[in-house]
Amino acid sequence: EQNKAFYELAQSLEKDMRDKLKTAGVAEGEIEAIQARVEVAMEEAVEFASHSPPPSPAEFLQEIASL
């Protein structure tokens, strides 16, 4: 159920962004290129995170405090 809600939210956000880009006059081809770059960046981030050791508690708290 949580995955379904996340997927629906992601789909909604993507549609909203596409609509805003189209309204701003961005060509469909450029929107597709942007989407492809975003997908590659996300895949690289997931790959990096999945092969990285978890942070120490101190590193985790420092990261949270910087937000």
Side-chain angles (χ1 to χ4, degrees), residues 1-2 4-6 11-12 14 23 31-34 36 41-42 44 48 51 53 56 60 64:
E1 185 65 32
Q2 186 178 19
K4 181 181 176 186
F6 177 78
Q11 292 297 105
S12 176
E14 181 180 341
T23 299
I31 293 172
E32 293 296 327
I34 292 167
M42 292 298 293
E44 289 173 350
F48 175 80
H51 289 94
S56 70
F60 176 75
I64 297 300

PDB file of all heavy atoms in Angstrom, residues 1-2 4-6 11-12 14 23 31-34 36 41-42 44 48 51 53 56 60 64:
ATOM      1  N   GLU A   1       0.831  -1.210   0.000  1.00  0.00           N
ATOM      2  CA  GLU A   1       0.000   0.000   0.000  1.00  0.00           C
ATOM      3  C   GLU A   1       0.867   1.263   0.000  1.00  0.00           C
ATOM      4  O   GLU A   1       0.580   2.213  -0.699  1.00  0.00           O
ATOM      5  CB  GLU A   1      -0.942  -0.028   1.211  1.00  0.00           C
ATOM      6  CG  GLU A   1      -1.931   1.109   1.255  1.00  0.00           C
ATOM      7  CD  GLU A   1      -2.929   1.098   0.108  1.00  0.00           C
ATOM      8  OE1 GLU A   1      -3.297   0.007  -0.384  1.00  0.00           O
ATOM      9  OE2 GLU A   1      -3.330   2.172  -0.324  1.00  0.00           O
ATOM     10  N   GLN A   2       1.933   1.251   0.793  1.00  0.00           N
ATOM     11  CA  GLN A   2       2.823   2.407   0.855  1.00  0.00           C
ATOM     12  C   GLN A   2       3.533   2.611  -0.486  1.00  0.00           C
ATOM     13  O   GLN A   2       3.684   3.745  -0.939  1.00  0.00           O
ATOM     14  CB  GLN A   2       3.838   2.236   1.974  1.00  0.00           C
ATOM     15  CG  GLN A   2       4.698   3.466   2.194  1.00  0.00           C
ATOM     16  CD  GLN A   2       5.678   3.290   3.339  1.00  0.00           C
ATOM     17  OE1 GLN A   2       5.977   2.185   3.744  1.00  0.00           O
ATOM     18  NE2 GLN A   2       6.170   4.384   3.846  1.00  0.00           N
ATOM     19  N   LYS A   4       2.381   1.784  -3.393  1.00  0.00           N
ATOM     20  CA  LYS A   4       1.376   2.291  -4.330  1.00  0.00           C
ATOM     21  C   LYS A   4       1.198   3.800  -4.156  1.00  0.00           C
ATOM     22  O   LYS A   4       1.159   4.545  -5.133  1.00  0.00           O
ATOM     23  CB  LYS A   4       0.046   1.582  -4.117  1.00  0.00           C
ATOM     24  CG  LYS A   4      -1.035   2.046  -5.060  1.00  0.00           C
ATOM     25  CD  LYS A   4      -2.343   1.328  -4.805  1.00  0.00           C
ATOM     26  CE  LYS A   4      -3.414   1.899  -5.709  1.00  0.00           C
ATOM     27  NZ  LYS A   4      -4.737   1.340  -5.425  1.00  0.00           N
ATOM     28  N   ALA A   5       1.128   4.258  -2.917  1.00  0.00           N
ATOM     29  CA  ALA A   5       0.975   5.691  -2.652  1.00  0.00           C
ATOM     30  C   ALA A   5       2.196   6.464  -3.145  1.00  0.00           C
ATOM     31  O   ALA A   5       2.063   7.542  -3.727  1.00  0.00           O
ATOM     32  CB  ALA A   5       0.760   5.934  -1.161  1.00  0.00           C
ATOM     33  N   PHE A   6       3.385   5.905  -2.922  1.00  0.00           N
ATOM     34  CA  PHE A   6       4.608   6.563  -3.389  1.00  0.00           C
ATOM     35  C   PHE A   6       4.615   6.654  -4.909  1.00  0.00           C
ATOM     36  O   PHE A   6       4.932   7.694  -5.480  1.00  0.00           O
ATOM     37  CB  PHE A   6       5.842   5.802  -2.893  1.00  0.00           C
ATOM     38  CG  PHE A   6       7.127   6.386  -3.384  1.00  0.00           C
ATOM     39  CD1 PHE A   6       7.647   7.522  -2.796  1.00  0.00           C
ATOM     40  CD2 PHE A   6       7.798   5.808  -4.447  1.00  0.00           C
ATOM     41  CE1 PHE A   6       8.830   8.078  -3.263  1.00  0.00           C
ATOM     42  CE2 PHE A   6       8.978   6.362  -4.917  1.00  0.00           C
ATOM     43  CZ  PHE A   6       9.498   7.490  -4.319  1.00  0.00           C
ATOM     44  N   GLN A  11       4.133   9.769  -9.904  1.00  0.00           N
ATOM     45  CA  GLN A  11       3.479   9.969 -11.202  1.00  0.00           C
ATOM     46  C   GLN A  11       2.832  11.349 -11.277  1.00  0.00           C
ATOM     47  O   GLN A  11       2.922  12.034 -12.299  1.00  0.00           O
ATOM     48  CB  GLN A  11       2.429   8.881 -11.445  1.00  0.00           C
ATOM     49  CG  GLN A  11       3.010   7.506 -11.645  1.00  0.00           C
ATOM     50  CD  GLN A  11       3.875   7.436 -12.879  1.00  0.00           C
ATOM     51  OE1 GLN A  11       5.090   7.414 -12.768  1.00  0.00           O
ATOM     52  NE2 GLN A  11       3.292   7.402 -14.028  1.00  0.00           N
ATOM     53  N   SER A  12       2.190  11.755 -10.210  1.00  0.00           N
ATOM     54  CA  SER A  12       1.538  13.060 -10.169  1.00  0.00           C
ATOM     55  C   SER A  12       2.553  14.192 -10.282  1.00  0.00           C
ATOM     56  O   SER A  12       2.356  15.164 -11.030  1.00  0.00           O
ATOM     57  CB  SER A  12       0.730  13.196  -8.876  1.00  0.00           C
ATOM     58  OG  SER A  12       0.167  14.481  -8.771  1.00  0.00           O
ATOM     59  N   GLU A  14       5.547  14.016 -11.616  1.00  0.00           N
ATOM     60  CA  GLU A  14       6.124  14.007 -12.961  1.00  0.00           C
ATOM     61  C   GLU A  14       5.176  14.678 -13.958  1.00  0.00           C
ATOM     62  O   GLU A  14       5.607  15.488 -14.784  1.00  0.00           O
ATOM     63  CB  GLU A  14       6.416  12.579 -13.404  1.00  0.00           C
ATOM     64  CG  GLU A  14       7.039  12.522 -14.790  1.00  0.00           C
ATOM     65  CD  GLU A  14       7.352  11.114 -15.258  1.00  0.00           C
ATOM     66  OE1 GLU A  14       7.434  10.203 -14.428  1.00  0.00           O
ATOM     67  OE2 GLU A  14       7.512  10.956 -16.482  1.00  0.00           O
ATOM     68  N   THR A  23       4.061  24.315 -20.645  1.00  0.00           N
ATOM     69  CA  THR A  23       3.504  25.667 -20.559  1.00  0.00           C
ATOM     70  C   THR A  23       4.597  26.719 -20.754  1.00  0.00           C
ATOM     71  O   THR A  23       4.349  27.773 -21.339  1.00  0.00           O
ATOM     72  CB  THR A  23       2.805  25.870 -19.199  1.00  0.00           C
ATOM     73  OG1 THR A  23       1.739  24.928 -19.102  1.00  0.00           O
ATOM     74  CG2 THR A  23       2.243  27.271 -19.059  1.00  0.00           C
ATOM     75  N   ILE A  31      11.958  17.711 -23.030  1.00  0.00           N
ATOM     76  CA  ILE A  31      11.383  17.142 -21.805  1.00  0.00           C
ATOM     77  C   ILE A  31      11.792  15.677 -21.675  1.00  0.00           C
ATOM     78  O   ILE A  31      12.175  15.230 -20.588  1.00  0.00           O
ATOM     79  CB  ILE A  31       9.845  17.299 -21.803  1.00  0.00           C
ATOM     80  CG1 ILE A  31       9.471  18.785 -21.710  1.00  0.00           C
ATOM     81  CG2 ILE A  31       9.219  16.505 -20.660  1.00  0.00           C
ATOM     82  CD1 ILE A  31       7.996  19.074 -21.887  1.00  0.00           C
ATOM     83  N   GLU A  32      11.758  14.938 -22.769  1.00  0.00           N
ATOM     84  CA  GLU A  32      12.180  13.534 -22.753  1.00  0.00           C
ATOM     85  C   GLU A  32      13.660  13.425 -22.386  1.00  0.00           C
ATOM     86  O   GLU A  32      14.048  12.523 -21.633  1.00  0.00           O
ATOM     87  CB  GLU A  32      11.918  12.871 -24.099  1.00  0.00           C
ATOM     88  CG  GLU A  32      10.448  12.727 -24.430  1.00  0.00           C
ATOM     89  CD  GLU A  32       9.698  11.821 -23.475  1.00  0.00           C
ATOM     90  OE1 GLU A  32      10.291  10.853 -22.968  1.00  0.00           O
ATOM     91  OE2 GLU A  32       8.506  12.095 -23.235  1.00  0.00           O
ATOM     92  N   ALA A  33      14.491  14.329 -22.907  1.00  0.00           N
ATOM     93  CA  ALA A  33      15.920  14.313 -22.592  1.00  0.00           C
ATOM     94  C   ALA A  33      16.152  14.605 -21.104  1.00  0.00           C
ATOM     95  O   ALA A  33      16.996  13.976 -20.462  1.00  0.00           O
ATOM     96  CB  ALA A  33      16.665  15.324 -23.463  1.00  0.00           C
ATOM     97  N   ILE A  34      15.394  15.538 -20.566  1.00  0.00           N
ATOM     98  CA  ILE A  34      15.485  15.856 -19.142  1.00  0.00           C
ATOM     99  C   ILE A  34      15.106  14.629 -18.326  1.00  0.00           C
ATOM    100  O   ILE A  34      15.799  14.258 -17.368  1.00  0.00           O
ATOM    101  CB  ILE A  34      14.597  17.063 -18.780  1.00  0.00           C
ATOM    102  CG1 ILE A  34      15.147  18.340 -19.413  1.00  0.00           C
ATOM    103  CG2 ILE A  34      14.464  17.205 -17.264  1.00  0.00           C
ATOM    104  CD1 ILE A  34      14.177  19.520 -19.363  1.00  0.00           C
ATOM    105  N   ALA A  36      15.239  11.511 -19.149  1.00  0.00           N
ATOM    106  CA  ALA A  36      16.286  10.488 -19.263  1.00  0.00           C
ATOM    107  C   ALA A  36      17.459  10.811 -18.341  1.00  0.00           C
ATOM    108  O   ALA A  36      18.002   9.911 -17.679  1.00  0.00           O
ATOM    109  CB  ALA A  36      16.756  10.375 -20.709  1.00  0.00           C
ATOM    110  N   ALA A  41      20.515   9.822 -13.265  1.00  0.00           N
ATOM    111  CA  ALA A  41      21.013  10.348 -11.993  1.00  0.00           C
ATOM    112  C   ALA A  41      20.441   9.561 -10.817  1.00  0.00           C
ATOM    113  O   ALA A  41      21.161   9.258  -9.851  1.00  0.00           O
ATOM    114  CB  ALA A  41      20.669  11.831 -11.862  1.00  0.00           C
ATOM    115  N   MET A  42      19.157   9.212 -10.896  1.00  0.00           N
ATOM    116  CA  MET A  42      18.539   8.440  -9.814  1.00  0.00           C
ATOM    117  C   MET A  42      19.143   7.030  -9.734  1.00  0.00           C
ATOM    118  O   MET A  42      19.441   6.545  -8.636  1.00  0.00           O
ATOM    119  CB  MET A  42      17.028   8.357 -10.027  1.00  0.00           C
ATOM    120  CG  MET A  42      16.308   9.672  -9.863  1.00  0.00           C
ATOM    121  SD  MET A  42      16.458  10.362  -8.216  1.00  0.00           S
ATOM    122  CE  MET A  42      15.541   9.179  -7.276  1.00  0.00           C
ATOM    123  N   GLU A  44      22.122   6.116 -10.653  1.00  0.00           N
ATOM    124  CA  GLU A  44      23.481   6.253 -10.125  1.00  0.00           C
ATOM    125  C   GLU A  44      23.465   6.494  -8.616  1.00  0.00           C
ATOM    126  O   GLU A  44      24.289   5.945  -7.887  1.00  0.00           O
ATOM    127  CB  GLU A  44      24.227   7.382 -10.832  1.00  0.00           C
ATOM    128  CG  GLU A  44      24.579   7.048 -12.271  1.00  0.00           C
ATOM    129  CD  GLU A  44      25.170   8.229 -13.032  1.00  0.00           C
ATOM    130  OE1 GLU A  44      25.154   9.374 -12.522  1.00  0.00           O
ATOM    131  OE2 GLU A  44      25.648   8.003 -14.159  1.00  0.00           O
ATOM    132  N   PHE A  48      25.114   4.008  -5.909  1.00  0.00           N
ATOM    133  CA  PHE A  48      26.116   4.497  -4.960  1.00  0.00           C
ATOM    134  C   PHE A  48      25.688   4.182  -3.531  1.00  0.00           C
ATOM    135  O   PHE A  48      26.479   3.662  -2.734  1.00  0.00           O
ATOM    136  CB  PHE A  48      26.312   6.008  -5.136  1.00  0.00           C
ATOM    137  CG  PHE A  48      27.243   6.606  -4.129  1.00  0.00           C
ATOM    138  CD1 PHE A  48      28.613   6.508  -4.282  1.00  0.00           C
ATOM    139  CD2 PHE A  48      26.745   7.268  -3.012  1.00  0.00           C
ATOM    140  CE1 PHE A  48      29.480   7.050  -3.349  1.00  0.00           C
ATOM    141  CE2 PHE A  48      27.594   7.821  -2.071  1.00  0.00           C
ATOM    142  CZ  PHE A  48      28.966   7.707  -2.235  1.00  0.00           C
ATOM    143  N   HIS A  51      25.915   0.511  -2.434  1.00  0.00           N
ATOM    144  CA  HIS A  51      27.268  -0.015  -2.270  1.00  0.00           C
ATOM    145  C   HIS A  51      28.096   0.766  -1.249  1.00  0.00           C
ATOM    146  O   HIS A  51      29.289   0.521  -1.111  1.00  0.00           O
ATOM    147  CB  HIS A  51      27.983  -0.030  -3.626  1.00  0.00           C
ATOM    148  CG  HIS A  51      27.435  -1.074  -4.539  1.00  0.00           C
ATOM    149  ND1 HIS A  51      26.450  -0.807  -5.455  1.00  0.00           N
ATOM    150  CD2 HIS A  51      27.697  -2.400  -4.656  1.00  0.00           C
ATOM    151  CE1 HIS A  51      26.146  -1.911  -6.108  1.00  0.00           C
ATOM    152  NE2 HIS A  51      26.872  -2.890  -5.642  1.00  0.00           N
ATOM    153  N   PRO A  53      28.855   2.007   2.721  1.00  0.00           N
ATOM    154  CA  PRO A  53      28.587   1.563   4.086  1.00  0.00           C
ATOM    155  C   PRO A  53      27.636   2.544   4.772  1.00  0.00           C
ATOM    156  O   PRO A  53      27.587   3.725   4.413  1.00  0.00           O
ATOM    157  CB  PRO A  53      29.964   1.587   4.746  1.00  0.00           C
ATOM    158  CG  PRO A  53      30.741   2.594   3.970  1.00  0.00           C
ATOM    159  CD  PRO A  53      30.214   2.517   2.557  1.00  0.00           C
ATOM    160  N   SER A  56      28.159   6.293  10.354  1.00  0.00           N
ATOM    161  CA  SER A  56      28.217   6.088  11.799  1.00  0.00           C
ATOM    162  C   SER A  56      27.093   6.919  12.425  1.00  0.00           C
ATOM    163  O   SER A  56      26.572   7.844  11.800  1.00  0.00           O
ATOM    164  CB  SER A  56      29.570   6.561  12.333  1.00  0.00           C
ATOM    165  OG  SER A  56      29.658   7.976  12.255  1.00  0.00           O
ATOM    166  N   PHE A  60      25.542  10.381  10.878  1.00  0.00           N
ATOM    167  CA  PHE A  60      24.105  10.474  10.628  1.00  0.00           C
ATOM    168  C   PHE A  60      23.524  11.699  11.317  1.00  0.00           C
ATOM    169  O   PHE A  60      22.810  12.498  10.696  1.00  0.00           O
ATOM    170  CB  PHE A  60      23.405   9.207  11.114  1.00  0.00           C
ATOM    171  CG  PHE A  60      21.912   9.266  10.990  1.00  0.00           C
ATOM    172  CD1 PHE A  60      21.305   9.125   9.769  1.00  0.00           C
ATOM    173  CD2 PHE A  60      21.132   9.470  12.106  1.00  0.00           C
ATOM    174  CE1 PHE A  60      19.925   9.192   9.644  1.00  0.00           C
ATOM    175  CE2 PHE A  60      19.755   9.522  11.989  1.00  0.00           C
ATOM    176  CZ  PHE A  60      19.142   9.393  10.778  1.00  0.00           C
ATOM    177  N   ILE A  64      21.802  15.080   9.631  1.00  0.00           N
ATOM    178  CA  ILE A  64      20.454  15.504   9.999  1.00  0.00           C
ATOM    179  C   ILE A  64      20.470  16.935  10.541  1.00  0.00           C
ATOM    180  O   ILE A  64      19.623  17.765  10.192  1.00  0.00           O
ATOM    181  CB  ILE A  64      19.822  14.550  11.035  1.00  0.00           C
ATOM    182  CG1 ILE A  64      19.649  13.147  10.451  1.00  0.00           C
ATOM    183  CG2 ILE A  64      18.504  15.088  11.563  1.00  0.00           C
ATOM    184  CD1 ILE A  64      18.766  13.083   9.231  1.00  0.00           C
TER     185      ILE A  64
END
